[in-house]
């Protein structure tokens, strides 16, 4: 075997017979965003939801679903013994709905009225705090809240990755192994992203666009610095004015 692969893009029979769609170019938006909405259509593997019912004031049902919270609420509202329909109060993205549901139940175990049921007697604020503590994000949150914990945020659907086709489409000539080149590009991108992240910036990818966004925590920090500097300037000005009289 040669030191370098004679063909950096090894091809199997499946790849030869598979038709790959043209790769859409990425539009880089140079202006750094401070707020962006999470697309309404975006989902992970499922949801952990919080439901209320007017017939049961002060009680909240916390469960999970792999469909959508509204459909689940409608489903259990038609159950026997349910006098009024359930209302979705909160819904949280989840990559592992069953496990995340168990974590929330454990976190709120002292408020659970029956260990065999999913009902909890506590405030909606306490429930929301529990979800924050376990690291789940509510669907009405904005992208800048995600940027507090993630360097790359994408709302795009995954596609079949074929490095040979990808590099050819991007007009990048590779000498050597394509997998090694892709790994090097990822490592280089990670280095650049980490440098950007020092200033609270994360990369958002969606619908063919790439844009940096400032995290929510960093924006709060910048506002704090601005107010502190303004107060300091005001105090300096007041001191000078007092000295003139």
């Amino acid at each position: 075997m040669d030191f370098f692969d004679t063909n950096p893009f090894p091809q199997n029979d499946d790849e030869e017979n598979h038709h790959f769609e043209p790769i859409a170019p990425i539009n880089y938006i140079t202006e750094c965003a401070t707020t962006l909405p999470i697309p309404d259509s975006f989902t992970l593997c499922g949801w952990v939801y919080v439901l209320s019912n007017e017939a049961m004031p002060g009680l909240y049902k916390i469960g999970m679903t792999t469909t959508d919270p509204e459909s689940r609420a409608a489903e259990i509202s038609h159950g026997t013994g349910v006098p009024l329909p359930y209302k979705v109060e909160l819904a949280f993205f989840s990559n592992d709905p069953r496990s995340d549901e168990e974590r929330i139940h454990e976190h709120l175990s002292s408020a659970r009225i029956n260990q065999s049921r999913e009902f909890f007697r506590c405030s909606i604020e306490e429930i929301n705090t529990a979800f924050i503590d376990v690291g789940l994000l509510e669907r009405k949150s904005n992208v800048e809240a995600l940027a507090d914990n993630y360097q790359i945020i994408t709302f795009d659907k995954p596609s079949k990755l074929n490095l040979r086709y990808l590099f050819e489409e991007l007009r990048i000539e590779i000498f050597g192994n394509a997998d090694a080149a892709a790994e090097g590009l990822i490592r280089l991108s990670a280095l650049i992203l980490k440098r950007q992240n020092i200033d609270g910036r994360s990369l958002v990818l969606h619908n063919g666009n790439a844009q940096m966004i400032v995290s929510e925590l960093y924006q709060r920090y910048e506002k704090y610095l601005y107010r502190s500097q303004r107060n300091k300037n005001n105090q300096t000005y007041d001191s000078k004015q007092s000295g003139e009289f």
Side-chain angles (χ1 to χ4, degrees), residues 69-219:
E70 281 70 27
S71 295
R72 178 58 179 155
E75 179 184 358
I76 61 178
S77 293
H78 288 96
T80 304
V82 181
L84 294 171
Y86 281 96
K87 173 187 175 183
V88 179
E89 294 287 345
L90 299 168
F92 294 80
F93 297 104
S94 175
N95 271 317
D96 189 347
R98 180 67 65 188
S99 176
D100 287 336
E101 177 196 50
E102 292 176 357
R103 292 165 64 203
I104 290 295
H105 287 181
E106 177 65 25
H107 209 82
L108 294 169
S109 58
S110 62
R112 196 168 187 173
I113 63 172
N114 188 323
Q115 292 303 310
S116 63
R117 304 295 299 276
E118 297 179 334
F119 290 95
F120 299 80
R121 189 181 299 279
C122 55
S123 68
I124 197 70
E125 290 77 18
E126 291 174 297
I127 293 174
N128 192 50
T129 298
F131 277 93
I132 293 173
D133 289 344
V134 301
L136 297 184
L137 189 77
E138 215 278 326
R139 64 180 174 183
K140 294 179 182 177
S141 303
N142 289 325
V143 177
E144 57 269 27
L146 280 169
D148 290 338
N149 299 303
Y150 301 97
Q151 288 79 39
I152 300 177
I153 302 161
T154 179
F155 303 111
D156 294 332
K157 298 291 184 181
S159 59
K160 184 176 177 63
L161 181 62
N162 182 286
L163 290 178
R164 176 187 62 81
Y165 183 80
L166 177 61
F167 281 125
E168 286 180 356
E169 184 75 13
L170 295 175
R171 303 291 192 272
I172 294 179
E173 298 295 333
I174 302 295
F175 180 80
N177 185 271
D179 290 342
E183 180 183 353
L185 284 173
I186 291 173
R187 291 181 181 277
L188 177 60
S189 298
L191 179 63
I192 295 171
L193 280 172
K194 286 179 179 179
R195 289 176 177 174
Q196 290 285 325
N197 199 244
I198 293 175
D199 293 328
R201 285 157 174 75
S202 295
L203 178 65
V204 183
L205 302 170
H206 183 50
N207 282 344
N209 292 321
Q211 184 177 19
M212 304 302 291
I213 188 168
V214 183
S215 73
E216 190 172 64
L217 285 176
Y218 198 84
Q219 290 186 54

Side-chain angles (χ1 to χ4, degrees), residues 237-245:
Y237 176 78
D238 291 340
S239 297
K240 290 181 177 180
Q241 290 293 99
S242 299
E244 293 176 1
F245 294 94

Side-chain angles (χ1 to χ4, degrees), residues 12-77:
N12 57 41
D13 293 338
D14 291 337
E15 289 177 350
E16 289 178 353
N17 298 324
H18 189 89
H19 174 68
F20 292 93
E21 296 296 329
I23 300 170
I26 290 182
N27 174 42
Y28 181 65
I29 302 174
T30 56
E31 181 181 359
C32 189
T34 55
T35 184
L36 289 171
I38 296 176
D40 293 335
S41 60
F42 178 72
T43 62
L44 292 174
C45 296
W47 305 88
V48 181
Y49 57 75
V50 181
L51 306 182
S52 65
N53 193 303
E54 289 185 9
M56 295 177 282
L59 288 180
Y60 294 95
K61 178 176 172 59
I62 302 175
M64 56 77 62
T65 181
T66 55
T67 56
D68 67 86
E70 281 70 27
S71 295
R72 178 58 179 155
E75 179 184 358
I76 61 178
S77 293

